[in-house]
Amino acid sequence: MSAVLKEAGNRFAVLLTGGVLCLAVVAGSQAATGHAGVLNVRIGGDRTETRIVIDLDRAAGAKIAADGAVDRRLVLNLAGVSSADLQGGGAGLVKGWTLADTSAGVRLKVDFAADATVKRRFLLPPADGVGHYRYVIDLTAREPAVRLTSSPKTTLRATPVILKQPLSLKKVIVIDAGHGGRDPGARGAKAIEKDINLAAARALKARLERNGRYQVVMTRNSDVYVPLETRVQVARRADADLFISLHADSGSDSGMRGATVYTLSDKASSRAAKFVDKDDWFMKANLAGGGVSDILLDLTQRATKNRSAAFAEVLLGRVDDQTQLLRRSHRDAGFVVLLAPDVPAVLLEMGFITNSADEAILRDPTKRGRLMGAVSDAIDDYFDQQTRLAAR
């Protein structure tokens, strides 16, 4: 251990022993994912200095996405780490925290109880009787001051106004109503695809928001045209946990009917890089070498594609109860809306608008509502399954 780490360890020795408040424990998911798992989150200290310790079953790197200087919220991304979704209260400078699993790793969000800054952060290897790794974040109080121009010697302590949403473990679902505006999509005997898609998206949104588990974002909520690339960016900027694009199929054979789910094809994966900004956290590599970012992107894409495929299978199982499925109902394609490298995504063709039976289901509010209810149930099943895997 270096002299710097020894000094830090001595200063906070009480925090790493009996003085740390244990806030959450979860079994690592190494067996399920092959990634490092979070074993424990511990916080201790006072309003002057506070230490956060994340116990890991192997080494992992981390990047700060937000340092809390503006809104008192620290956001730290640990690449290649898995965990069940966790949250807890705080101690010292920490008001509360959440830990959420993402396609690229784990995201820790910490709300400060007062102005604070990250003094140091480092990874401790197993040592001194501790058999696991520890990622340590040391916080120190930061007290801003405002000087009055009328009295140079007078200094007032300033308490900034913080405007932000409280920490939440709600999953973010982005619903994309296909087509819209000048792009009508397919036409049936009595309906236009863009209208069917929007009605279904609104029904799904209402259903998801009913149980309070999700934050729902729509790529469009009216008859407007949204470029395909913009839909992908909406999902990424929302830090979405799942993206689902709703469509109605069409064909020259009016007898063809059934729902289909598409996920991204291997051939199209290389096109996803254009949606990744060079400043994205998982593209900022600590290691030297030009190929590291490409490797991280590839690993992220693989994890995302696996999650997309897993959701697609769950979705088909639920949708099958409400409508007929097309033969070979899980397919892959290079649709632009599926290209986000870090957001699991599917495109659901709800049925053939050119088939009278399917069109009748899609036009009928009650039957369409039941279909969206099945989609909502599939989303519940998928995240319940992810939580069970992470907790093993």
Side-chain angles (χ1 to χ4, degrees):
M1 186 184 297
S2 68
V4 173
L5 297 188
K6 284 183 178 179
E7 179 184 352
N10 291 335
R11 185 177 181 85
F12 289 93
V14 66
L15 301 181
L16 289 176
T17 55
V20 173
L21 175 63
C22 183
L23 296 177
V25 181
V26 61
S29 56
Q30 182 178 348
T33 66
H35 293 168
V38 175
L39 304 174
N40 195 13
V41 176
R42 296 175 287 149
I43 300 177
D46 54 31
R47 295 292 287 252
T48 302
E49 291 184 320
T50 302
R51 169 165 285 186
I52 304 171
V53 181
I54 305 172
D55 294 325
L56 302 165
D57 61 12
R58 69 172 76 169
K63 282 289 183 181
I64 289 181
D67 63 7
V70 176
D71 60 357
R72 290 186 181 174
R73 176 168 293 173
L74 170 69
V75 180
L76 183 85
N77 296 298
L78 291 97
V81 176
S82 297
S83 172
D85 291 342
L86 302 169
Q87 62 182 335
L93 292 167
V94 174
K95 179 180 180 181
W97 58 272
T98 63
L99 193 70
D101 205 23
T102 71
S103 296
V106 163
R107 179 163 298 137
L108 174 71
K109 295 182 180 180
V110 179
D111 270 0
F112 295 157
D115 287 338
T117 186
V118 177
K119 185 174 183 179
R120 66 174 70 87
R121 55 191 178 93
F122 49 88
L123 181 70
L124 286 173
D128 301 327
V130 179
H132 56 265
Y133 288 84
R134 290 155 291 169
Y135 194 88
V136 180
I137 307 167
D138 287 337
L139 306 176
T140 186
R142 176 175 55 86
E143 299 186 12
V146 176
R147 293 191 176 276
L148 300 181
T149 57
S150 58
S151 178
K153 294 182 180 180
T154 303
T155 299
L156 296 180
R157 299 298 182 188
T159 302
V161 177
I162 307 299
L163 299 175
K164 66 182 179 183
Q165 295 296 319
L167 284 171
S168 172
L169 281 176
K170 287 185 178 182
K171 296 296 185 181
V172 178
I173 313 298
V174 173
I175 305 173
D176 173 45
H179 304 282
R182 66 174 185 266
D183 177 14
R187 294 180 181 271
K190 300 179 179 179
I192 301 175
E193 184 187 356
K194 66 176 183 177
D195 299 330
I196 292 293
N197 297 342
L198 182 57
R202 287 171 173 169
L204 178 57
K205 179 178 185 289
R207 178 65 179 264
L208 288 173
E209 290 180 336
R210 193 178 305 164
N211 63 20
R213 292 182 60 180
Y214 307 103
Q215 177 186 341
V216 182
V217 177
M218 301 270 282
T219 59
R220 70 179 181 96
N221 198 24
S222 60
D223 185 19
V224 296
Y225 174 76
V226 180
L228 299 178
E229 292 82 0
T230 302
R231 298 171 194 246
V232 178
Q233 296 294 5
V234 167
R236 300 201 67 238
R237 289 167 185 161
D239 195 19
D241 296 287
L242 185 64
F243 175 94
I244 179 166
S245 187
L246 300 176
H247 288 258
D249 218 335
S250 63
S252 56
D253 181 2
S254 62
M256 184 174 291
R257 65 171 305 198
T260 317
V261 175
Y262 287 88
T263 52
L264 186 66
S265 67
D266 290 331
K267 292 181 179 179
S269 296
S270 60
R271 295 159 53 204
K274 71 177 183 178
F275 292 103
V276 180
D277 188 271
K278 61 182 177 63
D279 292 325
D280 281 352
W281 69 268
F282 61 84
M283 295 296 285
K284 292 180 177 178
N286 286 323
L287 304 176
V292 175
S293 293
D294 293 336
I295 294 172
L296 292 176
L297 177 60
D298 180 64
L299 291 173
T300 300
Q301 281 185 287
R302 290 188 184 188
T304 300
K305 287 176 64 179
N306 289 339
R307 294 190 180 205
S308 300
F311 175 64
E313 293 300 320
V314 174
L315 179 59
L316 286 169
R318 284 290 191 173
V319 169
D320 192 24
D321 294 335
Q322 296 298 328
T323 191
Q324 183 174 315
L325 298 181
L326 193 66
R327 187 173 61 87
R328 197 170 65 85
S329 52
H330 183 183
R331 306 185 178 194
D332 59 4
F335 298 132
V336 172
V337 292
L338 302 178
L339 284 176
D342 51 349
V343 180
V346 301
L347 186 147
L348 172 63
E349 296 279 9
M350 299 176 287
F352 279 75
I353 198 171
T354 48
N355 175 272
S356 59
D358 278 358
E359 184 185 28
I361 292 174
L362 296 176
R363 289 185 65 245
D364 184 280
T366 300
K367 294 179 180 178
R368 186 174 60 235
R370 292 196 194 106
L371 180 59
M372 291 303 101
V375 176
S376 175
D377 290 340
I379 293 173
D380 287 342
D381 293 345
Y382 168 73
F383 285 114
D384 289 343
Q385 183 183 79
Q386 292 294 314
T387 300
R388 287 194 297 271
L389 286 174
R392 287 180 181 175

